[in-house]
Amino acid sequence: MTALHDSASVTGIDVGAVTDLTRGEGRTYTVDGTQIAVYLLSDGTVRATDAMCPHRGGPLADGQFDDGVVVCPLHQYAFAFATGACTSAGIDPVRTYDAHVVDGRIRLTLG
Ligand code: FES
């Protein structure tokens, strides 16, 4: 007998249904006491960073983003999803997290 889904192979913490987000929208989740911003891209994939901007604490989930960067709504510094690095010199990076959608659920990997 073949299982359609091998739950043992699904990794990460389930934070909610991807349908809770609209494409192009970010939302903040609390996972193990950490505030994490999750972004639903136009292609249906997700990215995740710390929710608080390392510059002065802006809410990154409220920022504009594309498939490469999120732009903080307070002072418009941009942070790369791939590395967390700020595109401007002298600004600390933001922490990024592995994020993916499995069976319609957003799953994050911390650590
Ligand atoms: S608080 Fe985010 S750019 Fe200043």
Side-chain angles (χ1 to χ4, degrees):
M1 187 167 130
T2 303
L4 289 176
H5 301 288
D6 180 0
S7 60
S9 69
V10 176
T11 61
I13 299 168
D14 184 327
V15 296
V18 71
T19 52
D20 291 343
L21 293 174
T22 302
R23 292 186 187 206
E25 176 190 56
R27 179 175 291 195
T28 299
Y29 295 87
T30 302
V31 182
D32 289 345
T34 301
Q35 300 271 304
I36 298 178
V38 176
Y39 314 89
L40 180 59
L41 276 57
S42 59
D43 66 1
T45 61
V46 289
R47 303 290 185 272
T49 68
D50 271 340
M52 186 180 296
C53 176
H55 179 229
R56 291 191 189 164
L60 290 175
D62 293 341
Q64 297 290 309
F65 58 89
D66 59 21
D67 62 350
V69 298
V70 57
V71 179
C72 179
L74 291 194
H75 309 101
Q76 286 71 53
Y77 285 121
F79 299 89
F81 287 134
T83 63
C86 184
T87 59
S88 301
I91 305 295
D92 288 341
V94 70
R95 184 175 299 177
T96 63
Y97 301 92
D98 183 56
H100 50 279
V101 178
V102 179
D103 293 337
R105 307 289 299 180
I106 299 167
R107 301 191 74 91
L108 301 179
T109 303
L110 279 63

